[in-house]
């Protein structure tokens, strides 16, 4: 193999919406409400190898807006990406799939959430940036604790 074939490589092959859903269970009455809803956001990320050097990472963002006694809306977006990752040491692959790839996908998922919520008749939801490195480290610590328990 040539030296160039041994160089670490990382590239985005495709970014796409894998799944998108929106529920407005209390429409149309919910549009008459004046109270500010409580917004809750949940994140999940998963990566899998597709082929030699190709990986799919899916970032799922779930946003729920609730009033004290009812749900205004529930929005879920699964933003997918196919990444080419080659000649990376095995111990470095997990952080790339768990930190770098979700960092790339999050702005797309954030825009999709904002757009679909706005199309449903609500003000756009602007999600704050996420520190995926801190989330990754937190998950690693929890896994280590569970392994020692």
């Amino acid at each position: 193999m040539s030296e160039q074939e041994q160089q670490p490589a990382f590239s985005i092959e495709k970014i796409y919406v894998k799944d998108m859903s929106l529920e407005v269970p209390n429409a149309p009455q919910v549009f008459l409400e004046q109270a500010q809803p409580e917004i809750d956001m949940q994140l999940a990320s998963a990566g899998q190898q597709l082929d030699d050097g190709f990986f799919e990472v899916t970032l799922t963002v779930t946003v729920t807006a609730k009033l004290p006694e009812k749900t205004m809306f529930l929005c879920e977006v699964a933003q997918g990406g196919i990444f080419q990752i080659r000649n990376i040491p095995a111990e470095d692959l997990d952080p790339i799939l768990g930190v770098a790839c979700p960092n790339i996908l999050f702005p797309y998922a954030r825009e999709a959430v904002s757009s679909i919520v706005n199309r449903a008749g609500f003000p756009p939801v602007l999600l704050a940036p996420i520190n995926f490195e801190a989330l990754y480290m937190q998950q690693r610590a929890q896994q280590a604790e569970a392994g020692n328990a």
Side-chain angles (χ1 to χ4, degrees):
M1 287 190 161
S2 73
E3 187 178 314
Q4 188 173 14
E5 290 174 339
Q6 295 296 320
Q7 291 293 321
F10 177 87
S11 64
I12 302 167
E13 298 298 314
K14 185 77 174 168
I15 292 179
Y16 55 94
V17 172
K18 190 168 183 171
D19 188 25
M20 182 184 296
S21 68
L22 175 77
E23 297 174 34
V24 186
N26 294 298
Q29 293 82 7
V30 76
F31 294 109
L32 301 175
E33 295 287 341
Q34 299 298 317
Q36 284 296 322
E38 180 181 317
I39 304 289
D40 177 55
M41 180 184 73
Q42 300 292 320
L43 286 174
S45 172
Q48 66 177 351
Q49 186 163 0
L50 298 175
D51 201 356
D52 185 37
F54 291 91
F55 297 82
E56 177 193 46
V57 175
T58 304
L59 177 66
T60 304
V61 179
T62 306
V63 178
T64 309
K66 290 185 176 181
L67 294 170
E69 67 283 344
K70 64 177 93 167
T71 298
M72 291 185 82
F73 65 82
L74 172 72
C75 174
E76 185 170 88
V77 172
Q79 187 72 46
I82 298 174
F83 300 89
Q84 185 176 171
I85 307 170
R86 296 187 182 278
N87 303 320
I88 304 287
E91 64 271 8
D92 294 340
L93 187 59
D94 203 39
I96 290 171
L97 297 175
V99 178
C101 294
N103 263 323
I104 291 167
L105 295 174
F106 185 71
Y108 295 93
R110 180 174 51 204
E111 191 280 326
V113 166
S114 180
S115 176
I116 194 171
V117 167
N118 191 244
R119 287 175 185 229
F122 297 99
V125 173
L126 304 174
L127 302 176
I130 303 294
N131 183 340
F132 285 99
E133 186 174 3
L135 285 176
Y136 177 80
M137 298 306 264
Q138 183 181 15
Q139 289 171 343
R140 286 280 163 236
Q142 289 171 349
Q143 289 171 350
E145 275 182 31
N148 293 337

